[in-house]
Structures are given as C-alpha cells and as structure tokens.
Amino acid sequence: MNFKMNVGIVFLLVLPGVTSEDIIGILGKPLLLPCYPKLATPINPAAMTVFWQDEKPKVWHVIRNGKEDDSHQDPSYKNRTAFDTDGLASGNLSLLLNPVNVSDDHMTCLVILMSDSNPETVCRVTVNAAAKYQTPRLTVNQTNMTVVCSTEGGYPLASLTFLIGNQTIDPGKENTMISQDPGTGTYNIRSQVTWTRSENITCSVHNPTLNETLSASVIPESEDDEHPTGSTNYTTAIVLIVLVVVVLAVLVGICIQRRKDTPAGSQPEGET
Ligand SMILES: *[C@@H]1O[C@H](CO)[C@@H](O)[C@H](O)[C@H]1NC(C)=O
Ligand SMILES: *[C@@H]1O[C@H](CO)[C@@H](O)[C@H](O)[C@H]1NC(C)=O
Ligand SMILES: *[C@@H]1O[C@H](CO)[C@@H](O)[C@H](O)[C@H]1NC(C)=O
Ligand SMILES: *[C@@H]1O[C@H](CO)[C@@H](O)[C@H](O)[C@H]1NC(C)=O
Ligand SMILES: *[C@@H]1O[C@H](CO)[C@@H](O)[C@H](O)[C@H]1NC(C)=O
Ligand SMILES: *[C@@H]1O[C@H](CO)[C@@H](O)[C@H](O)[C@H]1NC(C)=O
Ligand SMILES: *[C@@H]1O[C@H](CO)[C@@H](O)[C@H](O)[C@H]1NC(C)=O
Ligand SMILES: *[C@@H]1O[C@H](CO)[C@@H](O)[C@H](O)[C@H]1NC(C)=O
C-alpha cells in the first residue's frame, strides 16, 4: 500500500473495502460518529495511533500512542471533537462531534488505525447535517387574492408545494424567496401563490434529509362569498336610515302641526 505521512495527515491512495455509514446530525447538537471495527488483533492502547480525518484531507482528531495530539487538528474542528480514550482498549473508536455545523454536511470521516506504521481505514462515516423546519404559516390577502406560505430555520433547502383544491402547484423561483442565516446556515423560505375562489389551500414543506413533511391549510373567503352578507348589511342599513328619516319626518310633521295648532288655538283664545 502506498502512503506517506506528512504534517500529521495520512494519505491513503487505496481505501480498503470498508462499508460507509450515513448518519444525520442536527445542527447545533452533538453527534456520535460510530466506529466499532472488527480487529484481527487486540489493540495495545499505549502503542496505538488513530486518525479521524476527512477526504480533503483535514484532520478532525488524533490519538498518538494513546494520547491526544491536537497539533495537526484543522481549525474548523478545534474544540468540536471529543474521544474517550477508554474506548481504545475496548475497540470503541467512536468520535463525538459537538456541535454539528453546516460545514460538516456531506463530510466523510475516515477512521485510520496505525499499529506498526501500517495504516488501515477501519470506518467511513458520512455526516448529513439537518435542521427541522417550523410548521409553515399561511397568510391570506383578500385584496390581491394571494396566499403567502413561510417557514424558517431548516436545513437543507426544503421543497415547498401548494395544493389548491386538488391541484398541486410548484411555485416558480420568481414567487419564492429564499434566505440563509449567515450564522447557522439554516434557510427561511417564503412563497406566494394566487387563488381564484374559496377552496382548501395546503402548503407543504419537505425536508429531504429528515424526510419530514410539514403542512398547513387555509380556506380563504373570497369576495363572492362576502357579497351576500355584505349586501344584506347594506340593505339593513338603508332600511334603518329610511325608517329613521320617516320617523323624524313624522315627528317634525307633528311638531309643525302642533305649532300651527297652538297659535291658531291660543290666538282666538287670547283675542277673546
Ligand atoms: C460553520 O459553518 C459556517 C458556514 O459554512 C462557517 O462560516 C463557520 O466557520 C463554521 N464553523 C466552524 C466552527 O467550522
Ligand atoms: C477552544 O477552547 C479554548 C478554551 O476554552 C479557547 O481558548 C480557544 O479559543 C477555543 N478555540 C476555538 C477555535 O474556538
Ligand atoms: C463508545 O464511546 C462513546 C464515547 O466516545 C460513547 O458515547 C458510546 O456509548 C460508546 N459505545 C459503546 C457501545 O459503548
Ligand atoms: C393586500 O395586498 C394589497 C395589494 O398588494 C395591499 O395594499 C394590502 O396592504 C395587503 N393587505 C395585507 C393585510 O397585507
Ligand atoms: C399581495 O399582498 C401581499 C401582502 O399581503 C404582498 O406581499 C404581495 O406582494 C402582494 N402581491 C401582489 C401581486 O401585489
Ligand atoms: C378535482 O376536483 C374537480 C372538482 O372539484 C374534479 O372535477 C376533478 O376531477 C378533480 N381532479 C382530480 C385529479 O381529482
Ligand atoms: C385541507 O386539505 C388538507 C390536505 O388535503 C386536509 O388535511 C385538511 O383537513 C383540509 N382542510 C379542510 C378544512 O378541509
Ligand atoms: C419517507 O417517509 C415516508 C413516510 O413518511 C416513507 O414512506 C418513505 O419510505 C420515506 N423515505 C425515505 C427515503 O426514507
């Protein structure tokens, strides 16, 4: 096997047939990269050197002759890895990554064992970073007849679809706004569709890594539906106004009649 040791990174030209494992890590949470190799000979912890590195290659963690050696650790993994050296004797070479970062997405960690300077890849673990989206929120605007669906804080980018009545609508890019949080790398998605009548509108957000779909539904009230109640209110108001006017007119009429009656009645009384 061809290999060379340079600045603490092991270069392997041929990888032995080690099955790779895909695991999901939640952003900001700890993640154990499992590695329990079946070894032909028992490990002598004091003489054991273990490299955890990716294919770039960047060093995640190193145990040299049974002791931590962070001199060649890549800065992006500083303070983010932990290994329990008790595992050396029992053959538990699992590494704890904490916290998981977006930069870890799709990274493959190789666990390379070196006893008598013969490197052997014993585990391959690929990290798939993810974060749960929030349940989508729907906002209806009756004036321009649009529905806006928005969700935040997820990873990786989700696909968003609308179901209007029984028709699936995949909103185009021009109607979708995607922003990424510069700190955590999570996505916020906001998408708008137009509707024409009062029917069930469902917005679904699918996270491909978590294989999770979150939905919300709304039935917008169209102006057509509002007209009956609206015109009833209008008619009622007109009827009320007419009634008030009529009552006032009658009252005014009575007053005028009384004023006319009173002088007419009193004058003759006063004259007489
Ligand atoms: C986490 O990922 C972001 C985005 O790629 C990057 O800016 C940041 O430096 C990473 N943090 C670490 C500790 O690697
Ligand atoms: C790692 O932790 C030590 C001690 O807490 C701190 O001094 C150092 O700045 C940290 N390094 C990074 C890259 O975060
Ligand atoms: C392997 O070691 C890790 C700590 O490095 C520990 O969390 C895990 O439980 C161990 N696995 C087993 C099967 O003991
Ligand atoms: C609805 O859309 C109209 C036209 O774009 C806008 O003027 C109005 O403020 C919106 N209403 C709400 C509640 O956002
Ligand atoms: C409709 O109103 C919403 C606010 O509720 C606004 O965000 C959107 O841009 C408007 N759409 C059109 C086509 O005016
Ligand atoms: C959708 O609903 C309409 C009536 O509401 C119906 O005519 C049509 O066949 C339905 N289409 C499908 C694909 O279910
Ligand atoms: C709207 O459609 C969704 C998806 O088909 C369904 O789960 C929900 O119950 C419906 N809501 C109403 C009020 O019919
Ligand atoms: C995703 O989840 C659905 C059920 O929610 C399941 O039927 C499907 O097999 C899953 N897909 C994958 C790739 O795990």
Side-chain angles (χ1 to χ4, degrees):
M1 184 183 290
N2 263 318
F3 75 94
K4 174 173 86 156
M5 250 194 80
N6 186 18
V7 292
I9 295 170
V10 183
F11 289 90
L12 289 168
L13 296 186
V14 183
L15 290 171
V18 171
T19 55
S20 55
E21 192 171 347
D22 264 63
I23 55 169
I24 294 173
I26 303 300
L27 293 177
K29 297 274 173 3
L31 175 68
L32 190 69
L33 309 175
C35 182
Y36 308 98
K38 289 189 182 72
L39 301 169
T41 52
I43 290 177
N44 171 11
M48 178 61 88
T49 294
V50 189
F51 286 85
W52 288 263
Q53 65 181 47
D54 60 32
E55 292 165 311
K56 280 191 186 273
K58 279 182 180 171
V59 171
W60 295 29
H61 201 91
V62 177
I63 296 288
R64 205 180 293 278
N65 299 323
K67 292 200 184 72
E68 302 268 344
D69 171 11
D70 62 6
S71 53
H72 301 292
Q73 186 179 42
D74 188 88
S76 60
Y77 294 101
K78 273 267 182 307
N79 294 348
R80 288 207 300 135
T81 57
F83 175 67
D84 182 356
T85 49
D86 288 349
L88 286 176
S90 61
N92 176 0
L93 303 183
S94 307
L95 183 73
L96 187 74
L97 180 64
N98 185 23
V100 172
N101 194 48
V102 259
S103 56
D104 303 322
D105 194 23
H106 300 317
M107 286 298 169
T108 298
C109 182
L110 307 175
V111 185
I112 300 158
L113 218 57
M114 282 174 73
S115 40
D116 0 315
S117 72
N118 197 18
E120 189 191 350
T121 301
V122 292
C123 293
R124 281 173 65 93
V125 183
T126 301
V127 176
N128 296 285
K132 209 174 140 73
Y133 279 90
Q134 276 175 17
T135 302
R137 279 173 293 112
L138 288 167
T139 315
V140 176
N141 184 323
Q142 249 131 352
T143 313
N144 65 12
M145 295 184 92
T146 57
V147 173
V148 173
C149 176
S150 51
T151 181
E152 289 87 31
Y155 192 86
L157 195 55
S159 57
L160 186 151
T161 49
F162 281 97
L163 187 68
I164 301 184
N166 54 13
Q167 259 204 309
T168 303
I169 288 165
D170 197 355
K173 274 203 178 95
E174 63 277 5
N175 288 324
T176 304
M177 267 177 50
I178 296 163
S179 60
Q180 195 171 15
D181 185 294
T184 62
T186 57
Y187 291 102
N188 299 335
I189 309 173
R190 194 187 138 86
S191 194
Q192 177 180 299
V193 285
T194 52
W195 49 278
T196 50
R197 59 202 166 94
S198 180
E199 56 188 336
N200 191 345
I201 300 179
T202 301
C203 172
S204 298
V205 172
H206 179 74
N207 184 320
T209 299
L210 296 176
N211 188 25
E212 181 184 56
T213 305
L214 297 167
S215 307
S217 296
V218 71
I219 301 179
E221 255 182 55
S222 72
E223 312 245 299
D224 292 344
D225 295 341
E226 273 176 46
H227 269 289
T229 48
S231 52
T232 323
N233 285 343
Y234 207 57
T235 316
T236 314
I238 286 174
V239 166
L240 275 174
I241 287 167
V242 166
L243 267 176
V244 167
V245 167
V246 165
V247 166
L248 277 175
V250 166
L251 285 175
V252 167
I254 289 171
C255 280
I256 288 170
Q257 200 57 45
R258 277 211 180 152
R259 281 215 174 161
K260 268 187 190 168
D261 286 353
T262 314
S266 60
Q267 266 169 0
E269 261 175 41
E271 274 176 89
T272 46

